[in-house]
Amino acid sequence: MSTDERILIGHGSGGKLYRDLVGDVFVAAFSNPVLDRLDDAAELASPGARLAFTTDAHVVQPLEFPGGDIGTLAVAGTVNDLATAAARPLALAAAFIIEEGFPLPALRRLCASMGRTASSVGVPIVTGDTKVVQRGLADGVYITTTGVGEIVVAHRLGADTVRPGDLVLLTGSIGDHAAAVLAARGEFHLALDIESDCAPLWHLVAVALAAAGEDLRFLRDPTRGGLTTVLAELAESSGLGIEVEEAAIPISAPVQALCDLLGYDPLVLANEGKMVMVVGPESAAAVLAALRAHPLGRRAAIVGELTEAHPRRVALRTAFGTRRVLDMPIGELLPRIC
Amino acid sequence: MSTDERILIGHGSGGKLYRDLVGDVFVAAFSNPVLDRLDDAAELASPGARLAFTTDAHVVQPLEFPGGDIGTLAVAGTVNDLATAAARPLALAAAFIIEEGFPLPALRRLCASMGRTASSVGVPIVTGDTKVVQRGLADGVYITTTGVGEIVVAHRLGADTVRPGDLVLLTGSIGDHAAAVLAARGEFHLALDIESDCAPLWHLVAVALAAAGEDLRFLRDPTRGGLTTVLAELAESSGLGIEVEEAAIPISAPVQALCDLLGYDPLVLANEGKMVMVVGPESAAAVLAALRAHPLGRRAAIVGELTEAHPRRVALRTAFGTRRVLDMPIGELLPRIC
């Protein structure tokens, strides 16, 4: 925990400060075997079925951006967290904190986006709540979405199940969401045509599960903290090393241009419609083919491999043939991205 | 919907404006058979078990008040919404939106309250999320709590199951939560000793279920909008009338004093540790005795009766022997109460 005993913007990142806050405050207060795993979705000990349970607060600014809005994001983010547990979404709950004076037409647009996005993966929004705070005490609207899903596989996925030789797949290009939101803020007067990748990935994950079966060992959506954070956490939790091939990582030209211009590392930028998958080597080709046949996985690629060579470290082989270690970022470059 | 197409503070109340917002915006965008029932907790079509699912955003100010804090409230509110569906709480999710600069010791205190309150009803907090917004864009901390519970009864509860002659029970005194929060705001320089009733009621509801079985037909916690709103909604949904005896409604002396001083109607004040129950006449005495034997139900009372005499209307017989109709409040007297 920081020696300055106050919440910093960086505590809201997906990086080291965030993890420290979660451990020192939340796990300390609520500790139990399910929470302590710190998975994106918790497994519920429910009678009769294996259920996954996940919640996400959404505070993105601007509320509407190319490729989506806070409504799309609120549904996609929660569906994707369920998907990381191989869970088909059963039902969503949505809680709105709205600033006094917020225009109702904008609220209707955001809700229409939520409804459309939820329908696209066949999940109903079954319950909700609304609170209104005085003008100035929120930034338009904050939406917390919570999901319950049914885990559809018999085997357990997780960082502790991956093995040396397993391959790391990425379902598409990185950085699109963060870059789209950043460009939409208009601070840099960029005329780049970048759309957020914001999308619910349950169907894409189902396709991979069908192709890999038990060979699909780990799923994680690289949101806050980006691909680097997912891989750094995976290396730490699995005790294995990861070799990553920079040239294999899909990235769109405008996102690369924005990163070059502003000096951002695309590997730490947030994504909202991508999944990182670890797959046994025998099934990797089948999964890759299945992903590429799906509209949301056309640019899927094998980007890395688990190894015993350098335990708990992620090594990136750059396009120039050099190697560098990928460390978890401390805070977050871009706040209010999701 | 208001002709002024913007969100008003009153849209966050439990009253008519709130119901209009829910219908015109949220149900319009998300409509499905489960949501459209507008119950405090939704029933999930889950394989193998009947589950209840509910979410609540908490934005109370001040964050700490006599008798509890936003952490106690966040857990109790969600447990109580599950309890209205006769559901034993299985797991909670908590999402925090925190203002930059918020003191960590205060966050630790609120989390300790959440942990304690959750432990007191045996429910683990299994998953969560944290977002940080810039200074000024939240009021300290907002907490959205979502719960999953197992419905423990075979019969269905609901406003459509109540019958003429059924009795309305209230598990204790009204107005304590709103009055405690109001007094804690210090605006009126009141030296009244009022504590919030904030408490999770699952055990109390279990006691009533054990005593009444299928004769327990309806449960609702009178939060925003108070007892009046619960009864007005019940009358409307059931198509029956309700006779209420003012003299039978428990109210503490300091809450009554505050209402007399400031001109508030205690019947519309929010409660966070009370339940309204509708019970068949054969079981009412047994339920009342069981409630009174429980620490959270010592002041339980029979306060009214369902009747065919005046469909969809709630008639209050006042302490002076006169009668007045209880209409649902339009907005909310006291914002940011929960």
Side-chain angles (χ1 to χ4, degrees), chain B residues 154-216:
Chain B
H155 73 291
R156 200 170 62 72
L157 289 85
D160 53 334
T161 70
V162 305
R163 306 170 196 173
D166 282 355
L167 296 171
V168 180
L169 277 74
L170 182 64
T171 61
S173 61
I174 57 167
D176 302 81
H177 176 69
V181 169
L182 184 69
R185 284 185 190 163
E187 291 161 14
F188 298 103
H189 305 285
L190 300 165
L192 293 165
D193 188 20
I194 305 177
E195 287 207 345
S196 167
D197 57 349
C198 198
L201 298 176
W202 165 242
H203 293 313
L204 189 67
V205 165
V207 153
L209 284 166
E214 296 202 3
D215 269 359
L216 185 50

Side-chain angles (χ1 to χ4, degrees), chain A residues 256-267:
Chain A
Q256 187 64 63
L258 180 135
C259 286
D260 290 345
L261 269 168
L262 301 177
Y264 289 146
D265 175 4
L267 296 175

Side-chain angles (χ1 to χ4, degrees), chain A residues 50-52 82-83 85-90 149-155 157 202 205-206 209-210:
Chain A
R50 289 176 65 207
L51 298 179
L82 291 177
R88 178 176 67 84
L90 286 176
E150 182 190 3
I151 299 172
V152 300
V153 295
H155 73 288
L157 288 85
W202 165 241
V205 165
L209 284 167

Side-chain angles (χ1 to χ4, degrees), chain A residues 38-42 53-56 81-82 84 220-221 223, chain B residues 127-128:
Chain A
L38 295 180
D39 286 334
D40 281 359
F53 187 34
T54 188
T55 194
D56 265 301
D81 279 346
L82 291 177
T84 65
R220 185 67 60 94
D221 56 333
T223 56
Chain B
T127 191

Side-chain angles (χ1 to χ4, degrees), chain A residues 186-212:
Chain A
E187 289 161 16
F188 298 104
H189 307 283
L190 298 166
L192 293 166
D193 188 20
I194 305 178
E195 287 206 346
S196 167
D197 58 348
C198 200
L201 299 176
W202 165 241
H203 294 314
L204 189 67
V205 165
V207 153
L209 284 167

